[in-house]
Amino acid sequence: VKEEGKNNYKIYHGMLNKFSGQQLTFENELRHALDRNEFSLVYQPQWSVHENEVVGVEALLRWKHPKLGYISPADFIPLAEKLGLIISIGEWVLHEACRQNKEWQDAGLPPFRCSVNVSIAQLLHTQFTQTLTRVLKKTKLDPCYLELEITESIAIVKEDYILKILNNIKQMGMYIAIDDFGTGYSSLKYITQFPINRIKIDQSFIHDHTTVNQAIIKAIITMAHSMNLNVLAEGVETKEQLEFLASQGCNEIQGYYICHPLPHDQAGKLLQNFSPF
Ligand code: C2E
Ligand code: CA
Ligand code: CA
Ligand code: CA
């Protein structure tokens, strides 16, 4: 937690310098980004190793500032959380991802799920279930095509409340994935107690192809499968990584080796007839 705090602090101050050089404030610009239509989503395919097809896309947020250009979500999400802006930004993301997915389905693309990152602050917000209901109703997307990605830190706060919300989400017909698996602070307790469908192995385990990481990947897959959970490996960049994961029975992969995240128009075209190899 300390290390992460330090990193956020560094990022935050790096961003402050970037903005102050332009006589702008980071906070103020972020507060207006939604009204000014500066956000967009990019989509990265999730590939089924055994079915050899796209089974989903992850929606990733992009902020294009008119003067500073693209700013990474890793740099502004922490501030958006701190300022409470993540609630409105997060609702925009959910709505846009569902709307886009429905549009693809209506255009005749084979249906796939859309995975949306949900911050813990959104999940804990009292109106979250209502927001989901409203978004699904408005976009007319079947909830079985929406997956929420949450990070492992969920188990550290308000466990009973989180369990209730996750059960609501499941009852509404959506899916839940644990993001960045293996890097969180919590015990393994929540994957047995929470209604999870999928585990996303963090990319750090994939990138460093050490004996220890290979053992960890094997153990995660074995454990997940024994609990009937699906496993997706993130950050797959090479053929060797894909082959190792496939040999271990990993269900899905995501990463530059399959496809980079793409803007909606490019993603739509590509997904019509997608073949990465
Ligand atoms: P994440 O959810 O773990 O997303 C995966 C990140 O890895 C993305 O970075 C993606 O572009 C990048 N990536 C994908 N394939 C590869 C690969 O093969 N190699 C490498 N090195 N990287 C790869 P991105 O888009 O910069 O997002 C960073 C983080 O920001 C995300 O990490 C997520 O935690 C957060 N984020 C993004 N969009 C949203 C959002 O709408 N809401 C919230 N709350 N957080 C978001
Ligand atoms: Ca994610
Ligand atoms: Ca991740
Ligand atoms: Ca991450």
Side-chain angles (χ1 to χ4, degrees):
V1 182
K2 266 191 189 147
E3 264 308 306
E4 176 119 318
K6 237 189 255 168
N7 284 338
N8 281 345
Y9 183 83
K10 255 193 243 154
I11 289 168
Y12 184 66
H13 282 268
M15 292 308 291
L16 286 183
N17 288 336
K18 213 170 163 188
F19 278 88
S20 67
Q22 299 278 332
Q23 315 289 318
L24 305 166
T25 75
F26 188 11
E27 265 193 43
N28 210 28
E29 294 304 290
L30 188 56
R31 285 188 195 282
H32 288 102
L34 201 54
D35 302 337
R36 292 175 182 157
N37 278 319
E38 290 169 1
F39 290 121
S40 62
L41 295 182
V42 291
Y43 298 90
Q44 186 175 38
Q46 300 177 327
W47 180 258
S48 163
V49 176
H50 302 104
E51 285 148 57
N52 269 300
E53 63 182 17
V54 173
V55 284
V57 293
E58 179 176 3
L60 294 157
L61 184 58
R62 295 291 176 264
W63 177 18
K64 192 180 182 191
H65 187 274
K67 289 208 175 107
L68 297 169
Y70 281 105
I71 300 163
S72 161
D75 293 343
F76 68 81
I77 296 276
L79 181 62
E81 285 172 345
K82 195 177 135 206
L83 300 174
L85 295 170
I86 195 68
I87 303 302
S88 53
I89 296 173
E91 178 164 354
W92 180 86
V93 171
L94 275 165
H95 185 271
E96 179 61 15
C98 292
R99 189 198 60 74
Q100 181 62 70
N101 200 10
K102 177 73 173 139
E103 194 178 296
W104 282 330
Q105 290 180 8
D106 290 347
L109 258 68
F112 43 75
R113 67 166 189 268
C114 187
S115 299
V116 174
N117 292 284
V118 168
S119 143
I120 184 72
Q122 282 175 272
L123 205 66
L124 289 173
H125 191 253
T126 51
Q127 301 294 304
F128 189 58
T129 312
Q130 286 94 319
T131 300
L132 289 170
T133 308
R134 185 167 57 240
V135 166
L136 290 168
K137 198 175 160 199
K138 237 170 129 181
T139 60
K140 302 192 176 70
L141 182 75
D142 184 328
C144 78
Y145 295 115
L146 179 59
E147 179 167 86
L148 305 182
E149 293 192 4
I150 51 187
T151 47
E152 265 193 281
S153 58
I154 55 165
I156 59 171
V157 289
K158 303 186 182 162
E159 268 183 51
D160 293 345
Y161 182 73
I162 296 276
L163 180 61
K164 199 182 107 190
I165 298 297
L166 295 183
N167 276 326
N168 285 347
I169 293 169
K170 188 189 173 182
Q171 267 154 28
M172 288 166 74
M174 285 166 269
Y175 290 89
I176 301 162
I178 295 289
D179 206 355
D180 302 347
F181 189 81
T183 63
Y185 323 104
S186 58
S187 68
L188 293 172
K189 199 168 73 173
Y190 63 91
I191 51 167
T192 57
Q193 291 184 355
F194 291 169
I196 304 301
N197 304 97
R198 195 184 324 281
I199 282 176
K200 296 188 76 176
I201 305 178
D202 190 69
Q203 29 186 311
S204 58
F205 298 107
I206 315 299
H207 291 166
D208 303 326
H209 202 60
T210 60
T211 320
V212 172
N213 280 345
Q214 279 178 274
I216 291 172
I217 291 170
K218 271 189 191 187
I220 292 176
I221 294 173
T222 306
M223 179 191 65
H225 286 171
S226 76
M227 294 166 60
N228 283 321
L229 301 175
N230 207 283
V231 183
L232 181 149
E234 297 192 284
V236 176
E237 295 180 351
T238 68
K239 191 169 182 232
E240 290 67 36
Q241 290 165 354
L242 167 60
E243 279 168 0
F244 171 71
L245 290 159
S247 75
Q248 298 307 314
C250 183
N251 305 91
E252 295 170 17
I253 57 167
Q254 185 183 341
Y256 299 160
Y257 185 62
I258 299 295
C259 191
H260 281 254
L262 300 169
H264 72 98
D265 48 336
Q266 283 180 41
K269 261 181 234 146
L270 188 99
L271 290 167
Q272 247 157 17
N273 204 344
F274 187 70
S275 163
F277 310 117

